[in-house]
Structures are given as structure tokens and as C-alpha cells.
Amino acid sequence: MFGVCVSVFCFLLVLASMTSGSVEEENPEFWRSAAQNTLRSALARKINTNVAKNIVLFLGDGMGVTTITATRILKGQLQKRSGEETVMNMDTFPYVGLAKVYSVDFQIPDSAATATAYLCGVKANLNTLGVSAAARNGVCRSQKGNEVTSILRWAKDAGKSVGIVTTTRVQHATPAASYAHSASRTWYSDSDLPSSAVTGGCVDIASQMLRNTDIDVIIGGGRKYMTPKGFPDPEYPADLSAQGQRKDNRSLIDEWLSMKEGKVARYVWNKRDFDAVDPEKTDYLMALFEPGDLRFDVERDPSMDPSISETTEKAIQILKKNPKGFFLLVEGGRIDQGHHDSRASMALHEAVALDEAVARGMELTNEEETLTIVTADHSHAFTFNGYPFRGNSILGKSPIFASDFLPYTTLMYGNGPGHKIVDNKRPDLRGVDTADKDYVQQSAVPLETETHGGEDVALLARGPMAHLFQGVYEQNYIAHAMAYAACIGANQQHCAATAEPDGIPYSSTDPGSSAPDTPLCAMTTVVLSVLMSVLLH
């Protein structure tokens, strides 16, 4: 039996050698030339020490390294290419680091604890957001006095415009950590608060979105947490699950609009009205396209809901009017949800959509003054395995059968709903379209929902001070490095030499800036002073 398997394997290797790659790739000079081009690019790279006027943080929820690799291949294959050689937009970022994602109490974290780390600069406990690790999951009284603020708040306090864009509900863990403080990530509206939280004086996340920080742009889903209980949804009036959920009978949407008196504030819930919003004439925008999370991109109705690229574009167009700059958080939140369902196709298409949003963000901003980051909060129990031929569908099957003489997909999960054993056998995938958007990948351990993974996640950076994101670091370092780059928050000692008389920092080497030449950051000045001292002595 072993000999037969070896023979089959060898035959497949010979077949692969006859069919894979291109003729030019058989020439060693192809690879040498490509490597030399990459080397020249690396040698020509200059460190950008400007002050970051703007920060755009793209967060792929659950977008671990395996997801990035598989997304790269899928993106190329959607363009009718082999896929492996594809260069995504995020791949072009010159600086790459690894962030350690564990929470204070768990080896493998959730999106609330991780968001608190990379947004607030403090590691926290599972399921808590905007609070330190002294707060306990679900214990209202423990959050009092343990609140921590985020870089979104630091940016707003510095006079910048701020915004959040997500494909989930705007009260979900990632965006919520930018403005809320909650012992539980699930307290979306007041109807979600347990009696102990009500008597303890804790406030739901949706209410905090209005009262904690003045956010200029809010785009995502989550209408039902903003309206009175039983209030019909404008898009799905007959759907009881889409109705408003607030027991306090408040319309937070109306309250938000009334709070913006004297400013041009727009609330929209469909693409027609969204497209009609003129960024030049709009100060504030709240766009909530679904009662809960947005639809997966492959199921999105383009006539009703814009893509994440379109929402990112509108957000930047509104925020960039501020001469002091802006901070924008863009979350591809349903990558994570596709993985939890073990539907790899869904997850990867969401990641492709996020990469397109990255491209739009790059087009709309200036690298000399905008720090752009792409990272993930955590990964998943997601593997890319087997020996598929070059160009094999990333959503397809390995050409080599398993020892049970049944095929298996090259993308699988360590656990999840795809564990199906009938008569002690795995399902036979011959004739099954594993590229279908609803196909559930097989898994080793049966769970109703697949879990997160605990390995480090990648961070890719470009723009001012992007070189600070090299190496391996704790996830909470990210917030501090972003703040340092933008001269906001508590760590501003190095910014004095690059500030205007009114205290507003600007880029000294931005070719499009009208500001006069100024010294580089104080740290650089100190280094130069030391060098001069050595030379003179």
C-alpha cells in the first residue's frame, strides 16, 4: 500500500513538473533579475521621518498570515492568473512586523481584547473593551476607574477629524474599542445590559458612541441598536428581528443629529442617499446600512449597500478637509465571521475587498504625510496544506488523496462545523464544488463555530515613521507607535521642533506643503548633535 502511494506521488510530481510555471521561470536569470530588482528597491528606500498628519488603520478581523496568503492567490485567480505571484496592494508596503496577540487572561484572544490593545495601547481581558485588565468580563462594577482611551480620542483631542468604517455593526468589538468602555463587548444596546449592569450604572455601547467622543464619520451597520424597541426598520419593515431594540425608547439617530446643530450632519441608510452625500459640504456623516452586520461582499446588493472601498473613499473625502489631519479606522470585519462559519470562500472574498479598500486609501492620501497600516487583530485555526499544483484553485482540492482514499481541500480548519464523520468516514468530496461561497471546509474537531488562532499577526506599514513597525512586538505597542508618528497623545516630547507656533505639527519634507523647512524630529536632532560632538573632539 505504501509503495503504491509513493508511486502515485512520484507520478504527480512528474506531472506537476510538466505543467506548472512559465517558460521564463525555468531560466535562472528570471529569478536572479527579480531578486536584484527587489534588492535595489530595498537599498533605495529612505526612512520617512515626517510627522504623520493622517493615520489610516486597516484592520482585517481574523486576517492571519494564512488568510493573507490565500487571499493573494484568490485575487490573482479572480483575474484569470495562476495567483501565487500576485502582488496585493498591502504587499507593497515596505515595512513589516509581527504582533503578539495574546490577552492578559487567555493565550488566544478575541476582537475586543485585541482592539483595546492596538487602539488603546493596553492589553486587556477577553470580551472587555476600552478598559484595562483590572476590569472583569461582564462585571459592571469592575470597569469603573479602569477605563482607557483610544488613539481615536487622542487624535480628536489634538484637533484632528476622526472616523470609523466597518463591515460589521458599528457597535461591534473593533470599532467599539475606539470610543466605548465596557466590561462586556455584547452590551450593544440598553436591552443587552443585565440588571446588575443597569443598577451599577453601566451604559450600553451604542449610547457611548454619542457621548464619549465626537466622531465625524460613522459607517457600518447596527441600526437596530439605535432605535426604540419595536421600531420598524426602514429597509425590512416586516422583519421582527430587524426592529429597534432599545428599551429606553430613545432614537440615538435623532439625538445624534440634534447634537450637530450648526453643522452639516447627514444620516443615511441606503446607497442612493449615501452617494448623494457631498463630502465638501458635509461635516458629519452617520451611514448605517443594515440592522446588524453588513452583508458579505459576494452577497451584497450594489444598488443598496456600497462596498468597503466606496465607504472608505467617502470617509477620507470628508475627513481630509481638516487642515490638522485625521485618524480613520477601516475594518474588514466579516473576514472573521466567514472563518467562524468555516466558509473560506466568504472569508477570502472579504479580504480581497479589504485589499481594494487599501488601494483606494492609498490613492486618496499622500504617503509623505499619511501613515497607513494594514494588520489583523488575531488569526484563525486555518491551514493551507497538501501539495496542490501551481495555479490550483485556492478553494479546490489537493490532487493527492488522503490515506482514506478520499480527496481533501487545500484550505481546512483545525476545528469548526466542518467536522462530519459518517460511518467512521469523511464525506467524499468528488463532485462537490468546494469553491462555492457556502461550502463549509472540513475540520479536525467538531465545534458549532470555528475558533480564533493564537499565532502572531502581520502588520504592514507605509508613510511617516512606518519603520517603527519592524520586528516582533506586543500588540499594544501599535497604538503608542501610531501616536508617536502623529505627535498625539501623551508621547510628544520629540514633536516640539516640528510644531508651528500654535503647536500644530506639520511635515517638514512634504513637497506639497507650504510650510517652511523645519528640523526633523528631536530624536534625529540629538543624534546629529552627538555625531558633531564626536567629529569636533
Side-chain angles (χ1 to χ4, degrees), residues 170-171 179 205-211 213 215 218 226:
V170 295
Q171 305 86 358
Y179 61 80
I205 293 169
S207 294
Q208 291 188 58
M209 185 168 61
L210 271 63
R211 64 185 253 180
T213 304
I215 305 174
I218 302 169
M226 307 289 284

Side-chain angles (χ1 to χ4, degrees), residues 156-173:
K156 190 67 178 185
D157 288 346
K160 296 181 183 294
S161 294
V162 297
I164 54 176
V165 170
T166 181
T167 55
T168 65
R169 66 206 88 169
V170 295
Q171 305 86 358
H172 209 251

Side-chain angles (χ1 to χ4, degrees), residues 25 33 43 46 101 115 148 155 187 242-243 291 315 322 401 404 448-449 467 478:
E25 290 179 352
S33 176
L43 291 170
K46 290 181 172 58
V101 301
V148 291
W187 294 345
Q243 291 182 350
N322 187 337
F401 284 15
D404 59 3
E448 289 186 7
T449 179
H467 60 283
I478 297 170

Side-chain angles (χ1 to χ4, degrees), residues 388-410:
F389 295 143
R390 174 81 176 271
N392 191 65
S393 169
I394 190 62
L395 297 168
K397 311 172 186 102
S398 171
I400 304 170
F401 284 15
S403 58
D404 59 3
F405 300 103
L406 292 174
Y408 61 95
T409 55
T410 56

Side-chain angles (χ1 to χ4, degrees), residues 36-46:
Q36 288 298 317
N37 288 336
T38 302
L39 179 60
R40 281 190 288 272
S41 176
L43 291 170
R45 186 177 300 147
K46 290 181 172 58

Side-chain angles (χ1 to χ4, degrees), residues 235-268:
E235 188 173 0
Y236 313 105
D239 186 351
L240 297 181
S241 66
Q243 291 182 350
Q245 295 193 359
R246 301 200 62 83
K247 294 194 300 184
D248 57 13
N249 207 37
R250 295 166 62 194
S251 170
L252 298 186
I253 295 169
D254 291 341
E255 290 183 21
W256 180 82
L257 288 169
S258 66
M259 291 168 64
K260 310 305 177 188
E261 186 175 352
K263 299 288 185 178
V264 179
R266 296 287 308 276
Y267 166 72
V268 299

